[in-house]
Amino acid sequence: MHIPYTPAQWLFGAVSLASFPASLVVVYYMMDNRSWCLSDHCVTGAVAPQIRISLAVFYGFLAFTATVILASKQVPGIRRILGKRIYPGTTISFGELGWLLGVLIICCIGLPATYWRYWWDRRGDKFIQQYSWIRLVHHTFMMVSGDCVAVLMGFLYILPSKNSFFATFLDIPYTSMVRMHIWIGFGNLALAFSHFVAYLLSYNLTKDGIMSNLFRGAESRTWGKGGYYLLIGFAAFWVLVIIVGSSLAIVRRKFYNIFFYTHFLTYVYTVMVYLHAQSMAYFLMPGLFMCIIDVGIRTFATFYQDKIANVVFEESGYITVTVATTKANTAKPGQFMRVNLPSVSRFEYHPWSIAYSDAKTVTFMFAPSVKASEWSTLAANWLQSSQQDGFGSIVLQGPYGKAMDMVVYGKSNNVAVFYVGGTGLAASIAAIHKILEDNKTKDIPTKVVLCWSSRSGGTSNMSLIQEWIKTGRVVLELRETAGADQDKSEQVVTQLDGEKSEIVFSGRASLESVLEKHVKPMLVGSEMLVRVGVFICGPAGLTRDGLRDADSFAKENKSASVVEVEAESYEL
C-alpha cells in the first residue's frame, strides 16, 4: 500500500534530514574555537582530531543503518532477517539487537581503543612518578568514558522524535525506536556511572577531599578553565539518575505522571552536559535539531483543536471516540495519534491507535483505568459528564508510527489472522477495513479471522464490529475472559446465512487453536503454499503466548504454508 506523502511530510522530513549536514557545519566552526565554546571544558588542540574520528564513525554508522533499512524495503530476504525474532515469545528482533550491539561496540570498544593512547600519553611518565600507574589508568578511563558517553548520547537523542525523516521516509517501527531509546538510556546511565566512578578514583585518591576537587580551580572564578566542570558533571549525573529511574517500566505503567513530568528534566540535563564538556554538543546536535523540529510541529498542533463528533460508551466498558478532522486523511493501518483533552489536562498527551479514518474523521477506542486518578479515567468521566452540552475540543498530533506490514507486504496472503486483546482491537479494525477494501479487486479474496479477547462482557455489541457481525465478511471469535471458569457461549444472527453463529466464548483461546480451526483446513489438499499473515497485539502474556503458538504452527506446517507474524505488545 503506497500512500503519497503530504507536502508537509516532505517539508518537515527534508528539514529533519538536513539537520545532519547542518550539524556538521556548526561542529566544524565550533571545534578548536574558544569563541564558539560556552562550556567549562572546551575541545582544543590535539584532542580535536580524535573527536573528528568519532564524528566520522558516528555519522558513518547512521548512514549504514539507513542504507540497510532502505535495502530491506526492496529485498524481502533482508526484511525477514531483520524482522526475525531472537527467540520464541519475544517481540525483540535481530534487527533491533544487531543495531544495539553495533552502537555498544562503537561506544564501548571501538572509540575507547581510539582515545586511550591519546589520553594516556597526555599525562605520561610524570603522572606515574607523581602518583602511580593505576592512578593513570583511572584518569585515562575517566576521559575515555566521558567521550564515549557523548557519542552514546548522540544515538539516544536521535531516536525519540516522532516527526523525523526516520519515521517519514524510512518507516522504522515506532516501538523499535522507543525500545532502542530505552535500552540506550540505561546504557548511557551505566556508562555515565563508570565515568563518575573513574572520576572518584582518579581525583579523590589524593590528600584533597571530594568537595575540594569538585570546586577545583573555582577560586579563580574563570569560566572555561575547568574550574566548574567536575561539579556540573556531578550534578548532571544525579539528574540522569532521576530521569532513568522514573523511566523504569514499573514507574511508567503505574505512575505515568511521574515518568511524564520528570522527563522534562532532559532539557536541564542537556544544558548541564554541554556546560560540562563541549564535545557533548558535537553528537547531540543532530538529535537536538530533530527534537526542536518535532517539538515545534507538535506545539503548533496544539493551537488547532478539533471537535469530538461522537462518543459511544460501549457495553463492554470501552469508549469509542470519533473526531471531526482532516489530520488523519493519510493515516495507515497500524498508526496512532497523540491525544490531549484540554478539559482534562493541558499538558498530558496519550497515544491512541487509529481504528478508522477517512478524509473527514478519525475514530479511536480506549479503556478507562481502574484507578480514579489516571488520565484515561478522568477522560472517561469528562466525556460522560459533557454528553448533554457537546463533547468539546480535542487536540490531535500525528499520525505517527509505521503501517502494519500485513497491509503493506501481505497483499498476496490467503488468510489474515488478527489475535488481539483489549484495545489491541483498534489497529486490527483499521487493517481489516483495508484488507476488505482490497478484496474487492481480487479474484481470490483474503480470508479474515479476528479473535478478540476482552476482560469484560458485551463484546458482541461493540460498535466497531457490528458491520462484520451482520455481513459475516470477517470470521469472528470474541473471547470474554472475565469469569472464564463459567463455560458460556453466545450465538448471534449473521446476515450472511440468516442463521445463528456461535461467536462469543468464555476464556482466552490459544492462537494455535485459532489457527488449527480456521487455517489448517485450508492447507489440506492445497497444491500451493498457503500464505498466512498473523497480527498479534495485546498484553505481554497474550503476545508472548501468541508468538510461541504462531512459531509452533509455522514449524508444524512449513511444507504447506508460509506464516508471516507481526506483533505489538503493551510491554513498552
Side-chain angles (χ1 to χ4, degrees):
M1 177 183 66
H2 174 70
I3 299 178
Y5 298 121
T6 64
Q9 287 175 319
W10 276 115
L11 173 62
F12 293 118
V15 172
S16 175
L17 180 60
S19 65
F20 284 81
S23 298
L24 282 174
V25 172
V26 174
V27 167
Y28 174 82
Y29 285 102
M30 287 178 64
M31 194 170 294
D32 209 7
N33 183 356
R34 282 192 173 273
S35 63
W36 279 50
C37 177
L38 302 178
S39 303
D40 192 43
H41 186 268
C42 301
V43 174
T44 57
V47 73
Q50 310 296 322
I51 298 294
R52 291 191 180 98
I53 293 174
S54 300
L55 286 167
V57 173
F58 176 71
Y59 282 94
F61 184 75
L62 291 175
F64 172 75
T65 300
T67 302
V68 172
I69 292 173
L70 290 173
S72 71
K73 305 299 179 186
Q74 305 300 322
V75 183
I78 298 177
R79 178 170 58 85
R80 281 193 291 270
I81 292 172
L82 295 178
K84 186 176 178 60
R85 287 169 283 111
I86 60 175
Y87 61 84
T90 183
T91 58
I92 302 171
S93 68
F94 277 102
E96 294 171 343
L97 185 61
W99 191 82
L100 177 67
L101 290 176
V103 169
L104 293 180
I105 288 172
I106 288 172
C107 294
C108 300
I109 299 177
L111 295 181
T114 302
Y115 285 127
W116 188 271
R117 186 58 183 262
Y118 168 79
W119 289 112
W120 183 276
D121 290 345
R122 185 169 180 175
R123 292 296 184 181
D125 295 336
K126 291 184 178 180
F127 193 89
I128 296 177
Q129 293 172 3
Q130 184 177 358
Y131 298 106
S132 66
W133 69 270
I134 192 64
R135 179 78 184 284
L136 180 57
V137 171
H138 295 155
H139 181 83
T140 303
F141 183 74
M142 181 191 71
M143 303 305 293
V144 168
S145 59
D147 293 325
C148 294
V149 167
V151 179
L152 194 61
M153 285 182 62
F155 289 113
L156 179 69
Y157 277 52
I158 284 173
L159 295 168
S161 296
K162 297 172 183 63
N163 295 285
S164 72
F165 75 94
F166 283 109
T168 303
F169 300 140
L170 300 184
D171 206 26
I172 301 175
Y174 183 69
T175 51
S176 295
M177 297 180 70
V178 170
R179 180 179 281 131
M180 294 300 101
H181 180 69
I182 293 172
W183 286 353
I184 292 178
F186 288 125
N188 185 54
L189 177 62
L191 203 54
F193 177 73
S194 66
H195 180 60
F196 177 58
V197 171
Y199 149 71
L200 294 176
L201 294 173
S202 177
Y203 278 100
N204 292 303
L205 295 180
T206 66
K207 62 182 180 180
D208 300 321
I210 184 171
M211 296 307 296
S212 176
N213 279 293
L214 283 177
F215 290 94
R216 184 174 59 88
E219 63 278 0
S220 63
R221 300 297 177 185
T222 303
W223 183 263
K225 299 295 185 179
Y228 299 92
Y229 80 97
L230 294 174
L231 177 63
I232 295 172
F234 181 79
F237 170 76
W238 290 109
V239 172
L240 179 62
V241 169
I242 295 173
I243 294 171
V244 176
S246 64
S247 301
L248 293 170
I250 189 173
V251 179
R252 294 199 314 272
R253 294 169 187 166
K254 294 188 176 182
F255 308 98
Y256 179 82
N257 287 346
I258 295 177
F259 158 74
F260 179 80
Y261 288 110
T262 55
H263 237 58
F264 284 100
L265 287 173
T266 302
Y267 299 111
V268 177
Y269 178 71
T270 301
V271 173
M272 293 178 75
V273 294
Y274 170 66
L275 295 176
H276 171 68
Q278 185 191 27
S279 58
M280 295 291 182
Y282 299 157
F283 303 94
L284 290 178
M285 200 161 294
L288 283 177
F289 282 163
M290 292 170 66
C291 285
I292 290 171
I293 295 169
D294 178 46
V295 172
I297 294 173
R298 291 194 277 130
T299 301
F300 182 77
T302 62
F303 296 101
Y304 292 86
Q305 298 183 0
D306 296 293
K307 291 293 183 181
I308 298 176
N310 187 48
V311 176
V312 179
F313 297 92
E314 308 285 355
E315 182 183 332
S316 55
Y318 298 95
I319 300 175
T320 304
V321 180
T322 299
V323 180
T325 182
T326 59
K327 294 177 181 177
N329 62 336
T330 60
K332 309 167 190 176
Q335 291 190 308
F336 68 93
M337 300 187 80
R338 296 181 79 243
V339 175
N340 168 257
L341 295 173
S343 297
V344 176
S345 174
R346 184 177 179 182
F347 301 106
E348 272 192 67
Y349 282 79
H350 289 258
W352 281 359
S353 293
I354 296 172
Y356 178 80
S357 66
D358 55 30
K360 294 183 179 180
T361 65
V362 60
T363 299
F364 311 97
M365 65 172 285
F366 76 98
S369 171
V370 296
K371 295 183 178 180
S373 60
E374 285 294 320
W375 181 88
S376 59
T377 305
L378 297 176
N381 293 338
W382 175 74
L383 290 171
Q384 188 80 47
S385 64
S386 59
Q387 288 185 85
Q388 301 298 326
D389 303 323
F391 295 105
S393 299
I394 188 172
V395 178
L396 301 176
Q397 296 177 353
Y400 301 120
K402 67 182 292 295
M404 194 181 296
D405 284 346
M406 187 180 291
V407 297
V408 177
Y409 304 108
K411 291 184 179 295
S412 60
N413 285 341
N414 302 105
V415 58
V417 178
F418 295 85
Y419 183 73
V420 298
T423 54
L425 175 67
S428 301
I429 297 291
I432 291 173
H433 275 295
K434 177 58 182 173
I435 293 172
L436 294 179
E437 183 67 25
D438 291 343
N439 277 348
K440 295 178 181 179
T441 60
K442 289 183 178 180
D443 295 330
I444 303 177
T446 300
K447 177 181 179 180
V448 181
V449 179
L450 170 62
C451 179
W452 175 39
S453 296
S454 173
R455 293 179 179 176
S456 55
T459 55
S460 62
N461 295 319
M462 183 70 181
S463 61
L464 294 173
I465 62 175
Q466 288 306 300
E467 175 189 354
W468 304 329
I469 290 177
K470 294 176 181 177
T471 63
R473 295 175 68 194
V474 176
V475 178
L476 295 171
E477 276 199 26
L478 308 179
R479 315 293 305 202
E480 298 179 355
T481 59
D485 54 328
Q486 304 172 13
D487 186 17
K488 80 164 190 177
S489 62
E490 181 181 335
Q491 292 184 330
V492 179
V493 176
T494 63
Q495 187 175 323
L496 187 65
D497 51 19
E499 297 181 358
K500 289 185 177 181
S501 298
E502 194 173 359
I503 64 171
V504 181
F505 305 90
S506 177
R508 194 182 88 190
S510 68
L511 176 57
E512 189 165 16
S513 69
V514 174
L515 295 172
E516 289 286 341
K517 180 179 178 181
H518 299 290
V519 179
K520 188 66 175 284
M522 299 175 63
L523 309 183
V524 180
S526 177
E527 298 179 356
M528 300 179 62
L529 287 175
V530 176
R531 303 192 66 85
V532 183
V534 178
F535 176 73
I536 303 170
C537 182
L542 180 144
T543 303
R544 180 185 61 249
D545 295 342
L547 288 171
R548 289 172 177 168
D549 287 348
D551 290 342
S552 175
F553 182 86
K555 185 177 181 180
E556 292 176 4
N557 299 278
K558 61 182 179 181
S559 61
S561 65
V562 176
V563 181
E564 295 281 349
V565 183
E566 182 178 4
E568 295 282 351
S569 176
Y570 295 168
E571 62 186 349
L572 294 179

